[in-house]
């Protein structure tokens, strides 16, 4: 999944934001479960970017 920038997120309507948030959370939980099973994350940078993108989406949702 591509990293979303703030201006791209602001262009989305509310329904798109909720859908994207669900997708991001699902992808993050997939990475989280993989890292819990193996003991080490396969790509820690990707996990960090997912967390940041989720936070960015939530912040912009609260602004609207």
């Amino acid at each position: 999944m591509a990293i979303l920038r703030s201006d791209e997120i602001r262009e989305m309507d509310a329904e798109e934001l909720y859908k994207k948030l669900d997708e991001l959370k699902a992808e993050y939980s997939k990475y989280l479960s993989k890292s819990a099973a193996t003991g080490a994350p396969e790509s820690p940078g990707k996990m960090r970017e997912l967390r940041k993108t989720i936070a960015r989406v939530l912040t912009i949702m609260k602004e609207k």
Side-chain angles (χ1 to χ4, degrees):
M1 172 157 303
I3 298 166
L4 297 172
R5 298 193 176 156
S6 297
D7 56 343
E8 294 171 345
I9 298 170
R10 283 192 174 92
E11 291 175 358
M12 296 180 184
D13 63 348
E15 188 157 327
E16 286 178 311
L17 286 174
Y18 283 111
K19 184 177 177 186
K20 185 58 74 173
L21 185 62
D22 287 340
E23 291 174 7
L24 290 167
K25 285 184 177 182
E27 187 174 351
Y28 181 71
S29 67
K30 181 181 75 169
Y31 277 108
L32 197 60
S33 64
K34 277 186 183 178
S35 68
T38 60
E42 131 185 346
S43 58
K46 180 69 173 174
M47 290 180 69
R48 182 176 184 208
E49 285 302 320
L50 281 170
R51 278 196 318 265
K52 284 183 159 190
T53 305
I54 290 169
R56 197 173 292 131
V57 169
L58 288 171
T59 301
I60 291 173
M61 285 172 68
K62 289 186 188 237
E63 285 178 358
K64 290 186 174 185

